[in-house]
Amino acid sequence: MSLKVLVTCKRVVDYAVKVRVKPDKSGVVTENVKMSMNPFDENAVEEAVKLREGGIAKEVVAFSLGPKGNQDTLRTALAMGADRAIHVETDVQNVQPLAVAKCLKKIVETEKPDVVILGKQAIDDDSAQTGQILSALLGWPQITFLSALELKKDSNKVKGVREIDGGLETLEASLPVVLTCDLRLNVPRYATLPNIMKAKKKPIDVKTPADLGVDVDPKLQVLSVEEPPSRQAGKKVENVDQLIAELQKIGAI
Amino acid sequence: MISTRLAPSLRSSVAVQSQSFLYRSQRPLSSHRFLSSLVVAEHDHKSLTGGTLATLTAAFALKGEAVDVLVLGKDVQSVAAQAQKVNGVKRVFVSSSPHYEQFVADLLTPSIVQLQNQEKYTHILAPASNFGKNLFPRVAALLDVSAISDIVQVVDGSQFKRPIYAGNAIATVKSLDPIKVITVRGTSFDKAPVSNGSAEIVNLQPASGLDELSGKITWVSKEVTKSERPELTSANIVVSGGRALKSAENFKIIYDLADQLKAAVGASRAAVDAGYCSNDLQVGQTGKIVAPQLYFAIGISGAIQHLAGMKDSKVIVAINKAEDAPIFQVADYGLVGDLFNVVPELKEKLASKKA
């Protein structure tokens, strides 16, 4: 059997960047700021490519929704091993997970993958929703926050270990399935230079939300963005006795 | 950025408003959609979680006509009895089924959507715990609305504040949807008191089709840490360890200090990834969010992603060998030193003061 895997990736401000709020409070500064593939999506792409390398999947299709710059992210996915990519191009800001999932649903209807893998959360909006929404819209089972995945050849079931508040739980789902992954699922590979060169020749199919009949105008608007309450700098203590004294003084212990 | 989106958004918001105005005026008085909320309870079959009690406070902050609770599980009488006693709750809907026992999101969703279609709430809320995050986007999807994740403040019935970029920015968002599906950050709202409320208990049949659904998604097993220590997200004191602990055996000094302080134990992602402790201890952007009275960050450098999970703590103490570790920028008290000396010394001195 040979599965088709659809994997999503989002272009976000790099995780190491110290994000700054714009003075006009309309958002965060993204000009001249390093952009990267969302870390959880790297795990998703890695898992998809591993499935193909393991002979369980025959094709890995990468997907991204966003402005033209998202093609950089798709090229990275292609360099990591995805076979081809689909870019749903839009300049609309703050597109909600519901709209992304609706676009994905249309792509799923054409591409007919057996597995859709997403990162569990995007580190910019921290919504952690798209996978679950897609699963509900498609009527497919979901296994989210995966830290381990077992998908055997010629099986129509997948077993996933997921992280829950108290520890770990194992679920089994029948295909087709929507999966979202945590960082602990795998170690994403670096794209090697030869693969980056090869990736330039892999196709990226560009569509618009209108092509898919999806309205991506956000129904959840961002009115303003502000700094969080700041913490004042504290003080250094020389030794444990001083620390205990300070904490007792404020009644913390 | 906002100005270029204003025209179409205004159009769609006016369209939604006029739609709901027509909807109201055409319907008989008895079914006007006042602001009313449903809180989907998270529990362990014995009692509601702290996050659910905080979510109830957020629901009350909406100042609506009614707040109801939905309890789904296998044998949930004691949970329902507790929910009944929260002052301000109007009705507690209870639905029991073996299919609900393990809180598999796919199996819980139909009941919530069914109740929504019956009662027509304007707001549906759940804690932004692993349970709520896993479940609520499904509910929103089936109601065709955008879910609002992890709110830290209710501005009004359609405006909320929520953290973005690992809490380095707070966004004020406005929902144009007729139903708001919301998950609530537990550390941002006080727990609603369980006292002398007397809500009505209403029993519901489980949703149909669960046998068939459970063929597609089956719960197999779970591994949860059993601990006598306080629960991480609601403890007064948290002692957290990072990668500098170097091994799972060494992590014992974190547990020892925590036990001396009767504290909960947390960890950085790096410590969990390295296998020093289990994943349910992880504090951070994609782990647990905590805001205790006192947080010890031991051998934790203070990466943005860890800070996201603990920077609302009242007092932060950092113990780290590197004096330029970013954690010292948020710590109220910083001790530069070798944790392998400092932490046992701290524990011993605290123990002898008690004696």
Side-chain angles (χ1 to χ4, degrees), chain A residues 102 124-126 129 132 135 139 142 144 165 168 170 172 184 219 221 223-224 226 231 235 237, chain B residues 9 134 138 144 149 161-162 165 170 172 174 176 216 218 221 223 273 282 285 288 313 332 334:
Chain A
K102 286 181 175 175
D124 51 7
D125 65 12
D126 284 330
Q129 297 175 18
Q132 297 86 300
S135 156
Q142 70 179 41
T144 59
D165 278 332
L168 299 170
T170 304
E172 193 176 66
R184 281 184 270 277
K219 298 290 181 293
Q221 295 177 323
L223 297 184
S224 71
E226 59 197 347
R231 284 193 87 92
K235 62 170 152 189
V237 294
Chain B
S9 307
N134 189 30
R138 300 184 63 82
D144 197 27
S149 295
K161 291 198 184 190
R162 59 177 300 269
Y165 289 97
I170 307 286
T172 302
K174 183 180 168 119
L176 304 175
K216 282 209 262 185
T218 316
S221 64
E223 258 176 64
D273 283 352
Q282 184 177 321
Q285 178 185 16
K288 296 195 165 69
S313 305
D332 298 287

Side-chain angles (χ1 to χ4, degrees), chain A residues 234-253, chain B residues 296 315 317-319 332-336 342 345-346 349-350 353:
Chain A
K235 62 170 152 189
K236 292 258 171 60
V237 294
E238 298 294 306
N239 52 47
V240 169
D241 293 317
Q242 268 186 32
L243 176 61
I244 294 180
E246 292 283 356
L247 291 177
Q248 284 181 332
K249 198 162 61 180
I250 59 171
I253 52 168
Chain B
F296 287 88
V315 176
V317 173
I319 297 170
D332 298 287
Y333 303 102
L335 213 181
V336 179
V342 171
E345 185 189 341
L346 177 59
K349 289 194 163 149
L350 287 171
K353 275 185 198 297

Side-chain angles (χ1 to χ4, degrees), chain B residues 219-242:
Chain B
W219 183 87
V220 175
S221 64
K222 73 181 170 206
E223 258 176 64
V224 290
T225 342
K226 288 225 179 304
S227 171
E228 296 300 312
R229 295 189 184 96
E231 199 267 308
L232 182 49
T233 57
S234 55
N236 268 331
I237 307 180
V238 173
V239 178
S240 275

Side-chain angles (χ1 to χ4, degrees), chain A residues 40-192:
Chain A
F40 296 94
D41 300 345
E42 289 181 337
N43 297 95
V45 173
E46 174 64 28
E47 199 63 20
V49 172
K50 272 170 63 175
L51 286 172
R52 203 204 51 227
E53 288 171 346
I56 297 165
K58 66 172 184 288
E59 193 184 17
V60 174
V61 181
F63 164 103
S64 190
L65 182 148
K68 200 164 187 61
N70 281 43
Q71 293 199 11
D72 291 345
T73 308
L74 286 170
R75 290 279 169 220
T76 305
L78 293 168
M80 284 172 72
D83 299 294
R84 58 186 168 86
I86 299 170
H87 177 207
V88 177
E89 187 169 350
T90 174
D91 287 322
V92 171
Q93 301 280 337
N94 301 315
V95 174
Q96 287 299 297
L98 178 61
V100 176
K102 286 181 175 175
C103 291
L104 270 167
K105 180 171 182 243
K106 291 287 181 186
I107 301 292
V108 165
E109 283 163 7
T110 342
E111 292 285 340
K112 301 195 194 327
D114 304 282
V115 181
V116 182
I117 312 185
L118 306 92
K120 82 172 190 189
Q121 172 170 345
I123 61 170
D124 51 7
D125 65 12
D126 284 330
S127 292
Q129 297 175 18
T130 310
Q132 297 86 300
I133 296 175
L134 179 63
S135 156
L137 292 179
L138 290 172
W140 291 8
Q142 70 179 41
I143 310 184
T144 59
F145 318 145
L146 282 165
S147 60
L149 183 64
E150 192 189 288
L151 180 46
K152 293 205 181 103
K153 238 177 169 170
D154 301 320
S155 165
N156 70 339
K157 284 202 186 288
V158 54
K159 221 183 231 184
V161 179
R162 48 188 302 270
E163 307 205 336
I164 59 174
D165 278 332
L168 299 170
E169 84 175 359
T170 304
L171 298 180
E172 193 176 66
S174 55
L175 298 180
V177 68
V178 174
L179 307 171
T180 81
C181 43
D182 182 77
L183 296 182
R184 281 184 270 277
L185 181 60
N186 54 44
V187 180
R189 66 196 65 192
Y190 289 111
T192 62

Side-chain angles (χ1 to χ4, degrees), chain A residues 17-23 27-31 33 225 227, chain B residues 168-169:
Chain A
V17 167
K18 198 148 190 199
V19 165
R20 280 177 7 253
V21 174
K22 285 187 185 170
V28 303
V29 176
T30 52
E31 276 108 66
V33 149
V225 173
E227 302 255 339
Chain B
N168 286 301

Side-chain angles (χ1 to χ4, degrees), chain B residues 161-335:
Chain B
K161 291 198 184 190
R162 59 177 300 269
I164 55 175
Y165 289 97
N168 286 301
I170 307 286
T172 302
V173 297
K174 183 180 168 119
S175 168
L176 304 175
D177 285 315
I179 311 166
K180 321 305 190 225
V181 175
I182 302 167
T183 59
V184 176
R185 181 172 279 209
T187 52
S188 297
F189 296 86
D190 291 331
K191 300 197 205 356
V194 179
S195 55
N196 61 348
S198 52
E200 183 198 347
I201 296 208
V202 180
N203 284 300
L204 295 174
Q205 285 301 309
S208 56
L210 294 180
D211 285 335
E212 194 197 327
L213 247 185
S214 67
K216 282 209 262 185
I217 180 82
T218 316
W219 183 87
V220 175
S221 64
K222 73 181 170 206
E223 258 176 64
V224 290
T225 342
K226 288 225 179 304
S227 171
E228 296 300 312
R229 295 189 184 96
E231 199 267 308
L232 182 49
T233 57
S234 55
N236 268 331
I237 307 180
V238 173
V239 178
S240 275
R243 189 166 31 195
L245 270 305
K246 295 207 182 93
S247 74
E249 294 76 54
N250 289 343
F251 219 78
K252 185 174 185 301
I253 71 177
I254 300 290
Y255 290 121
D256 286 347
L257 178 60
D259 289 339
Q260 180 56 46
L261 289 163
K262 296 200 181 8
V265 176
S268 68
R269 177 178 274 282
V272 175
D273 283 352
Y276 303 159
C277 58
S278 65
N279 66 286
D280 55 306
L281 266 48
Q282 184 177 321
V283 170
Q285 178 185 16
T286 70
K288 296 195 165 69
I289 308 289
V290 304
Q293 296 298 309
L294 178 55
Y295 187 93
F296 287 88
I298 299 175
I300 293 176
S301 64
I304 297 169
Q305 292 75 22
H306 186 76
L307 298 187
M310 42 66 79
K311 65 188 169 87
D312 289 335
S313 305
K314 187 130 179 287
V315 176
I316 296 174
V317 173
I319 297 170
N320 199 298
K321 217 175 197 173
E323 70 180 294
D324 56 356
I327 191 77
F328 289 120
Q329 288 163 28
V330 297
D332 298 287
Y333 303 102
L335 213 181

